[in-house]
Amino acid sequence: MKYFIFLALIFAGFLLIQGCAVQNHATTVERDKENGCTIHVILQIGIEGTDADVIAVRDQLEECYSKKCVIPCENDNSVGCPVLSHVNVKKWSALSDDEKKSFHHITMVNNDGQPSNAHIGTPNGGPKTGTWRRDEPPRTYCHEVLHLAGLKDQYCSRVYDTVTHTSVVEVTCDPPPDPDGNNCCTATAAMIRCGQPCPGHNNDLMATLTPELSCDNILDVVKKAGLNSCPEACCPHHHTYYNPKNLIFIGPSYVHFGDKDLHYGSYGGTGEYTHFFTPKIGATVDIGIYFHNDKQNELTTHYQQWNATAGITFIPITKPKPHVIFSTHALFGISTYSYKFTGNGFTSNKTSQHSFTPNIGVALDWPVSKSFAIRLVQADYMPTFFSKSTQNNFRISIGAAWMF
Ligand SMILES: [Zn+2]
């Protein structure tokens, strides 16, 4: 018996959880239960009509509302909170009495030339009703659903009065005035109904059926539910950076020149240009020149080394966008090493040698903005092979990077 009560309790708990999960508004605008940065707009439409009506409406609505929109972050409109729209079209007669409380109720009728209509609803409010004509032009039902979701028309219209033979006002713009000097348009015996988009709404599905349903429409619905800002927590600093197409780095460098008989530290500058083919992979050119003077008694030796290499840069981690960008590179090219002596008014000729050099290294970039980063460190191993020997050279650089 105890076992039975225990099972019954679990079952009741399960029902309770299911009950909570059921959609309980005909138009729902809510944050995702797990990821509060994502917002869902869920529209539930019950069609009183034939199976063909349900299919026609569902096809049209699913095409319009399969949109992903974004509420932009205040500081950086290249990122933001995603808004996902969903439509759930069911046959009215297939809904239970309980489900009917969370579905808008649409009655389909044959096309008699009158406009389809829908009452203006409230996001997260009660269900509304409407009467839709069959075989309406594309996007008509998408427009009507926006009424159910809380949006009003953004056009003016006039109809022809067959008694007085004049064009009379049907709908006016809110806020006024109507376009064409408040005239809107003139209905005639030949065209008994006419209309025009209100000012600023030429590409608005609430004004005309020509444009697609836009993210502005969806965001207007989200605004009506009071969820139209993207919380700061969903817009972290620096998470916006690093999909540069091009990167230029310039900075000072220290190079340790390491031959078995001769080693010294030299200073100079390094410049790099990388063109990214994908967010992770780019082609890099690296050029640098470094100097070292060694004074012994009256004689000074002037060492100079310059490098030109090219190859591949690879960024292993781009998602989730890191705060500090780690990149690796493998470059190949040539290095030129030269020296001359000066002292007591004497200058020797310059002696030069060339060598193949690889450049294997890593870099850490700290993005400060979308177009600028500080290279915290770049470390490279770039051996050379002058005088039939191997020099194990290391280079450390810091500097600034521009992205564009
Ligand atoms: Zn309308």
Side-chain angles (χ1 to χ4, degrees), residues 143-144 147 153 155:
H143 168 103
E144 299 303 330
H147 284 318
D153 284 321
Y155 62 81

Side-chain angles (χ1 to χ4, degrees), residues 116-118 143-144 147 151-155 205-206:
S116 289
N117 64 65
H143 168 103
E144 299 303 330
H147 284 318
L151 303 191
K152 60 186 175 63
D153 284 321
Q154 298 293 352
Y155 62 81
L205 184 60
M206 295 320 292

Side-chain angles (χ1 to χ4, degrees), residues 110-117 133 136 170 192-193:
N110 281 331
N111 203 321
D112 53 6
Q114 291 296 307
S116 289
N117 64 65
R133 270 72 192 169
E136 285 274 36
E170 187 187 40
I192 58 163
R193 209 157 177 275

